[in-house]
Amino acid sequence: MLASKRILLIIGGGIAAYKSLDLIRRLRERGAEVTVVLTKAAEEFVTPLSVSALAGTKVYRDLFDLTDEAEMGHIQLSRSADLVVVAPATADLMGKMASGLANDLASTLLMATDTPVLLAPAMNVRMWQHPATQRNRATLAADGIAFFGPNDGDMACGEYGPGRMSEPLEILAAVEAHFAEGPLRGKRILVTSGPTHEPIDPVRYIANRSSGAQGTAVARALAELGAHVIFVTGPADVPPPAGVEVVPVQSAREMADAVQAALPVDGGVFAAAVADWRVVSASDRKLKKSKDGLPVLELAENPDILKTVSRMEQGRPGLVVGFAAETNDVIENATAKRLRKGCDWIVANDVSPATGIMGGAENAVILISDAGAEEWPRMSKSDVAAQLADRIAAKMSG
Ligand code: CTP
């Protein structure tokens, strides 16, 4: 699948560097030629010998290695790849890239390259969440640098949260998606999916019956057409599709943050059944029955993610598609919803229990745009997704 593709892999200095050894192996298994650059800090985590044994080639380490300059200058090295992958991309490397510093081989190559660059960040949670890192991420994304991850999880430093480098198979999927043929190749598309869980206390939450099946099918169909899909999913019943960047969330507010972090994108499909309300002050202890009466749950409205993105004044995605879950007057309600939210298209469906759509395998949708309402016959959710992805591809490439 990656036969004869030339990948320049830059390994930064972080504990996740050990995963990059597996990444080299998997890239080569698929036929890619992998050239590796190690930063000085990376050499504290993996050895040049193990890297070159796996890559089957010389490892590049130093900007001022004259032999390399004679054989292959750093400019040539940066241009002789089809894709540059930085994994792990440390806070330091991201900072250098965002501010245009070039004081070692890795940062110089990243400045000199005219090849697409994919970053797989890895760092401590606080470092990832630090405003400086988030500023750098936004700057780099606006410069056209693609990001994959980081994932949530337990970290080597003992903390939990976003900052773990994506797994080698996930990065491999992103690399394959980059080279995938298809009308959406090179497009970055955000898909929200699934329900959200709004905590009441540590063991209870408010939720809805969404299984995540339709959003998952849309993400899969878009990836099959070559898109880089960022899949922001609540706790769904179905597993996420392969070949997409998965961002798992629980609550509506987490989903809103994850969507903001994924911007800018070329398109967005908002298939999630976001809970409209959350409990104002979720208890950090399990609520107990009491003789004093029933607990009173004060609710607050959640941010409207679709509306926020649709109404962005700067950097609005070129195509924003919402879903409308209705139980009555479907076309009328969904038409009004499209205007209220400001999205381009809305995919309306009747989720009354009798239709069996919410949680079921089939869907009957009406696509509403400024051209009017178009009723599609009832079909499987994957067929709805495939047709919708085709329409999105036609619109985005037209
Ligand atoms: N949506 C969103 N954020 C919210 C609520 C909804 O992004 N807080 C998105 C959904 O993903 C969907 C669209 O808005 O694409 C419509 O969702 P729906 O639940 O049908 O509508 P509501 O906004 O909840 O409106 P209402 O309660 O009046 O039906």
Side-chain angles (χ1 to χ4, degrees):
M1 261 174 290
L2 294 173
S4 73
K5 297 290 184 230
R6 293 159 310 168
I7 312 288
L8 179 65
L9 174 65
I10 297 178
I11 303 183
I15 184 67
Y18 79 92
K19 293 190 194 173
S20 301
L21 298 181
D22 191 32
L23 178 63
I24 298 170
R25 195 171 61 84
R26 293 185 185 274
L27 286 166
R28 292 195 67 207
E29 269 170 13
R30 281 161 181 77
E33 286 169 29
V34 187
T35 305
V36 185
V37 170
L38 280 179
T39 65
K40 275 252 161 330
E43 290 186 29
E44 302 290 331
F45 296 93
V46 291
T47 68
L49 187 61
S50 53
V51 170
S52 71
L54 285 163
T57 55
K58 175 177 171 38
V59 174
Y60 292 84
R61 299 155 63 189
D62 196 342
L63 183 56
F64 300 107
D65 185 327
L66 292 178
T67 325
D68 294 343
E69 283 301 315
E71 283 172 5
M72 181 189 266
H74 62 269
I75 301 292
Q76 197 190 339
L77 183 58
S78 76
R79 308 258 169 98
S80 61
D82 299 305
L83 177 68
V84 178
V85 178
V86 187
T90 57
D92 179 66
L93 267 174
M94 283 177 58
K96 280 183 182 162
M97 287 175 77
S99 44
L101 290 179
N103 60 357
D104 61 7
L105 180 58
S107 53
T108 305
L109 291 173
L110 287 161
M111 279 282 276
T113 191
D114 57 0
T115 302
V117 179
L118 175 73
L119 295 194
M123 65 197 73
N124 166 272
V125 184
R126 303 269 170 272
M127 289 175 77
W128 173 251
Q129 289 171 337
H130 194 283
T133 307
Q134 290 306 312
R135 245 186 344 261
N136 292 339
R137 188 198 66 81
T139 304
L140 292 170
D143 288 348
I145 305 289
F147 279 83
F148 204 83
N151 291 346
D152 272 14
D154 287 320
M155 312 208 41
C157 52
E159 291 184 61
Y160 181 90
R164 258 171 88 110
M165 189 170 88
S166 300
E167 296 304 319
L169 282 177
E170 293 177 300
I171 301 174
L172 185 69
V175 171
E176 285 180 331
H178 173 82
F179 291 111
E181 298 302 329
L184 290 174
R185 184 179 164 183
K187 301 284 185 207
R188 199 175 145 81
I189 304 188
L190 168 79
V191 177
T192 70
S193 181
T196 62
H197 285 182
E198 308 299 325
I200 296 171
D201 67 16
V203 294
R204 305 181 179 96
Y205 53 82
I206 301 175
N208 58 62
R209 294 185 196 281
S210 166
S211 62
Q214 187 63 82
T216 301
V218 170
R220 181 180 292 116
L222 291 167
E224 279 169 1
L225 295 186
H228 173 145
V229 176
I230 303 114
F231 183 61
V232 179
T233 175
D237 296 344
V238 294
V244 305
E245 182 176 346
V246 184
V247 185
V249 296
Q250 293 284 326
S251 67
R253 286 198 292 180
E254 283 174 23
M255 186 173 275
D257 289 347
V259 164
Q260 282 301 323
L263 299 175
V265 291
D266 298 298
V269 180
F270 295 79
V274 185
D276 288 324
W277 306 286
R278 66 177 180 278
V279 176
V280 172
S281 35
S283 169
D284 54 10
R285 291 182 174 193
K286 185 178 173 220
L287 296 178
K288 294 296 213 185
K289 289 192 283 290
S290 137
K291 290 192 198 69
D292 306 333
L294 297 172
V296 175
L297 299 180
E298 192 192 336
L299 299 179
E301 197 165 319
N302 274 327
D304 191 322
I305 305 165
L306 172 64
K307 191 170 173 180
T308 308
V309 173
S310 297
R311 298 206 177 276
M312 280 169 64
E313 279 176 11
Q314 275 186 337
R316 181 191 190 274
L319 180 65
V320 180
V321 182
F323 272 68
E326 307 293 343
T327 53
N328 55 286
D329 305 310
V330 177
I331 295 186
E332 199 182 319
N333 282 336
T335 303
K337 198 171 274 182
R338 183 178 88 86
L339 296 176
R340 198 165 66 238
K341 305 245 183 188
C343 55
D344 303 302
W345 299 349
I346 211 152
V347 182
N349 51 12
D350 184 344
V351 292
S352 322
T355 64
I357 284 174
M358 211 165 202
E362 290 186 337
N363 207 349
V365 306
I366 302 156
L367 181 65
I368 296 173
S369 65
D370 58 4
E374 186 185 308
E375 253 175 271
W376 293 5
R378 190 172 171 121
M379 56 183 113
S380 69
K381 286 185 176 173
S382 46
D383 285 346
V384 168
Q387 288 206 20
L388 184 64
D390 282 344
R391 295 291 283 266
I392 290 172
K395 178 77 182 174
M396 289 178 82
S397 53

